[in-house]
Amino acid sequence: MLFSCLGTTLKDAGSKTAQWKIDYEIPARFGEIAREKGISSYVLVSSINACSKSKLYYPRMKGALEDRIAELAFKQYIIFRPGMLNRPGTDRLAEKIILQLLRAANSVGMLKKHRALPTPLLAGKLAKAPKMLPNGQSLVELNQIFEF
């Protein structure tokens, strides 16, 4: 079983080319190697709104990765599409501000589709998913992550 949670920001990567290598090429190559070695399950952390046909760079990149892994035909392929991650101890100021704004909006019933997902909660759901979901491809959207 392979769990892929690799990703970065454009700012940290320094360029779209570098981000593509980290967010697409490395997880895709790990998938190819895992498939060659007989691994039957791949659990991928992708992104909300991922779509290889998106006009936006980030969702297009994540969608392209989802498509590439699907081509590898794992016996079980689980895609998680979280929204913003609530990462304890983050040093990113913008992330902290957005999290506070999301919490405020969520507390009055707004933007529930975009609530932040605590990384420890996501990790637990990732670990549990292969035992709970069937073979084939499963897509777990943000609202389902909280419910499962």
Side-chain angles (χ1 to χ4, degrees), residues 42-45 76-80 129-130 133-134 136-140:
Y42 192 116
V43 181
L44 175 68
V45 176
Q76 183 183 47
Y77 176 34
I78 303 168
I79 303 165
F80 276 77
L133 296 172
Q137 184 171 317
S138 299
L139 179 61
V140 186

Side-chain angles (χ1 to χ4, degrees), residues 122-142:
L122 176 59
K125 303 296 181 159
L126 290 170
K128 193 165 123 175
K131 296 173 194 134
M132 295 187 64
L133 296 172
N135 287 335
Q137 184 171 317
S138 299
L139 179 61
V140 186
E141 299 282 1
L142 177 61

Side-chain angles (χ1 to χ4, degrees), residues 66-145:
E66 288 180 10
D67 294 350
R68 175 63 188 124
I69 302 306
E71 290 170 0
L72 297 174
F74 283 88
K75 184 176 179 181
Q76 183 183 47
Y77 176 34
I78 303 168
I79 303 165
F80 276 77
R81 286 188 180 163
M84 181 164 190
L85 298 178
N86 180 354
R87 301 176 317 117
T90 184
D91 61 347
R92 296 177 181 160
L93 180 60
E95 191 174 305
K96 290 178 183 179
I97 292 169
I98 293 169
L99 280 170
Q100 291 301 321
L101 292 172
L102 272 176
R103 279 191 192 115
N106 293 165
S107 72
V108 294
M110 297 172 57
L111 301 175
K112 288 289 185 182
K113 182 182 176 189
H114 299 286
R115 59 189 160 161
L117 179 63
T119 52
L121 177 65
L122 176 59
K125 303 296 181 159
L126 290 170
K128 193 165 123 175
K131 296 173 194 134
M132 295 187 64
L133 296 172
N135 287 335
Q137 184 171 317
S138 299
L139 179 61
V140 186
E141 299 282 1
L142 177 61
N143 62 331
Q144 296 167 308
I145 297 170

